[in-house]
Amino acid sequence: MVRSIKKILVLSANPINTNKLRLDEEVREIQSALERSRHREEFELISRLAVRIDDLRRALLDHEPQVVHFSGHGDGTDGIALEDNFGYVQLVSTESLSNLFKLFKDTVECVLLNACYSETQAEAIYQHINCVIGMKRAITDKAAIHFSKGFYDTLGAGRSYKDAFDLGCNNIDLNSIPEFLTPKIQIRDNFKTLFFKKQSTTKLIKQKPSQSFTISGGQLSNVQIGGQAGRDMDVTQNQLLAQGNSEKPLIQTDVVELIAQLEELFRNSELPEAQTSKAIKHLEAAKEEVQEKEPDKDFAAKNLQKATKVLKEANEAVTAGTNIWEKVQPIITKLLPWLGVAASFFS
């Protein structure tokens, strides 16, 4: 079967009255990721720098890309920053950007806005494009570049947009940058791949065609995580599920309160300061996600899982890990049904 070339259009703008960004480096890393990939001959990378309004429209018309990547500055609800004829900021509003992509919905598959506070634009564009990625908050140059490297390494391997997103977030995390939850993806066809591939033996999660959902950094909530807890922290999956199912259903405010209780336990524990700070960082990220209007439960679960891993590390060195686990375990048990994960997720 003949495979069609996938065109990736990278647009960047760094107006002279904005902070200097390393956009050239990001483009170079994207190019390097695609050139070294085994599917390199099935991609065409088009790059446009110092993009103005006319450049945006013309590039979409001229190249009909499948992936559109924007690198630069975002200004939240006010839009993204392109350049005017003199090189200064010209904001493109959220509504006009969404309307533009509506006119290219038959060719564009994925839009990536690698700019601060671009989640607002991503949500608007998602009305017309099946896969859109934006940034929930400010993102540093370093994190943005690491995300792009992971994202395009994965596309170059012929994997799905969702996989590319996950590995982009993971690459931020692997490089010890605490911004791995900043990228947010909205996608309708979660298992869409760039190329025709043999059906995976992994059972896919079915979804109704009309549904859509949001994923941000990490794995789906039902993924089983390997490894065993410390000797004094072991508990069977059936025991935890039985306990969890005996509780009345939780609501968001209940979950926020339970996570706050976990934070308090860590703060008052005898764990070393470094481990306490590490756990609290993940708990705060989980609590922040839960407080969203439509919380992403898989990533709240992921951060709670990372916090509990601190206990495993502590249990190997000091008894404090065991002592706090006795108090943490009942709270985690209560959270299991709301999170929609198996007990082994925290083992």
Side-chain angles (χ1 to χ4, degrees):
M1 180 176 294
V2 178
R3 293 172 175 174
S4 60
I5 299 295
K6 292 287 182 179
K7 295 181 181 180
I8 298 172
L9 175 63
V10 178
L11 306 166
S12 57
N14 196 171
I16 58 179
N17 57 333
T18 60
N19 295 333
K20 179 67 176 175
L21 300 175
R22 300 166 66 188
L23 302 182
D24 289 348
E25 180 180 352
E26 183 175 0
V27 173
R28 182 181 65 80
E29 292 292 355
I30 294 171
Q31 183 176 3
S32 175
L34 296 175
E35 286 180 347
R36 62 164 297 283
S37 73
R38 67 174 181 268
H39 290 293
R40 56 185 171 273
E41 301 206 357
E42 297 171 63
F43 288 100
E44 179 183 352
L45 179 64
I46 304 112
S47 176
R48 295 290 180 268
L49 303 175
V51 172
R52 297 174 294 183
I53 298 291
D54 288 342
D55 299 327
L56 174 61
R57 179 186 62 257
R58 289 168 180 168
L60 290 169
L61 286 168
D62 292 346
H63 301 289
E64 296 185 331
Q66 282 69 55
V67 179
V68 179
H69 178 123
F70 173 76
S71 296
H73 290 285
D75 198 19
T77 56
D78 291 332
I80 62 172
L82 299 187
E83 299 188 11
D84 64 16
N85 291 335
F86 301 99
Y88 289 92
V89 169
Q90 181 167 356
L91 288 173
V92 179
S93 74
T94 300
E95 183 179 4
S96 62
L97 197 62
S98 174
N99 290 336
L100 173 67
F101 279 103
K102 179 180 180 180
L103 301 173
F104 293 91
K105 63 182 180 180
D106 292 333
T107 53
V108 175
E109 296 176 354
C110 177
V111 175
L112 168 52
L113 303 176
N114 211 359
C116 298
Y117 303 106
S118 54
E119 185 181 16
T120 300
Q121 289 75 48
E123 289 176 350
I125 294 170
Y126 183 60
Q127 298 176 61
H128 316 297
I129 305 300
N130 287 331
C131 177
V132 189
I133 299 165
M135 301 299 149
K136 185 175 182 179
R137 54 181 68 88
I139 186 167
T140 60
D141 253 352
K142 188 175 181 181
I145 291 170
H146 279 301
F147 179 81
S148 289
K149 288 165 68 174
F151 187 86
Y152 289 102
D153 276 344
T154 310
L155 290 194
R159 301 280 289 273
S160 68
Y161 292 118
K162 184 263 181 183
D163 287 347
F165 172 81
D166 283 346
L167 283 164
C169 293
N170 179 252
N171 197 36
I172 297 175
D173 196 14
L174 286 174
N175 283 277
S176 300
I177 304 172
E179 297 170 64
F180 61 94
L181 291 176
T182 297
K184 300 281 285 186
I185 186 172
Q186 297 184 86
I187 187 168
R188 291 186 178 83
D189 186 356
N190 188 35
F191 301 103
K192 184 178 180 65
T193 57
L194 288 172
F195 307 107
F196 291 100
K197 298 170 67 176
K198 292 182 179 179
Q199 179 66 34
S200 171
T201 56
T202 303
K203 184 178 180 180
L204 301 182
I205 300 172
K206 299 293 185 181
Q207 224 187 317
K208 295 179 181 179
S210 60
Q211 288 181 316
S212 63
F213 55 93
T214 302
I215 309 167
S216 76
Q219 302 297 319
L220 292 172
S221 59
N222 287 329
V223 173
Q224 301 295 310
I225 305 298
Q228 295 296 322
R231 294 184 188 91
D232 299 317
M233 295 158 46
D234 200 13
V235 60
T236 68
Q237 176 176 330
N238 289 337
Q239 286 173 329
L240 280 181
L241 284 178
Q243 295 174 45
N245 288 334
S246 67
E247 301 288 339
K248 66 179 181 179
L250 298 177
I251 59 175
Q252 273 180 286
T253 53
D254 296 330
V255 177
V256 172
E257 176 59 30
L258 288 171
I259 297 175
Q261 291 177 28
L262 291 174
E263 287 183 81
E264 190 66 20
L265 285 172
F266 275 94
R267 286 194 176 94
N268 295 327
S269 73
E270 298 176 8
L271 294 175
E273 183 178 350
Q275 290 174 312
T276 300
S277 298
K278 183 177 179 181
I280 289 175
K281 180 190 76 170
H282 294 303
L283 291 172
E284 288 178 343
K287 186 168 67 174
E288 181 181 347
E289 188 63 44
V290 171
Q291 290 172 321
E292 292 287 330
K293 184 177 180 180
E294 296 181 3
D296 198 333
K297 295 183 180 181
D298 10 308
F299 293 100
K302 180 182 177 183
N303 275 278
L304 289 171
Q305 180 205 46
K306 289 191 173 187
T308 58
K309 281 188 176 181
V310 173
L311 293 179
K312 289 196 292 182
E313 297 168 1
N315 192 49
E316 295 172 359
V318 293
T319 57
T322 302
N323 295 336
I324 189 176
W325 176 250
E326 293 173 356
K327 301 175 181 178
V328 166
Q329 177 186 326
I331 298 175
I332 293 294
T333 299
K334 291 179 181 179
L335 290 170
L336 286 175
W338 188 89
L339 293 169
V341 298
S344 58
F345 191 90
F346 291 97
S347 64

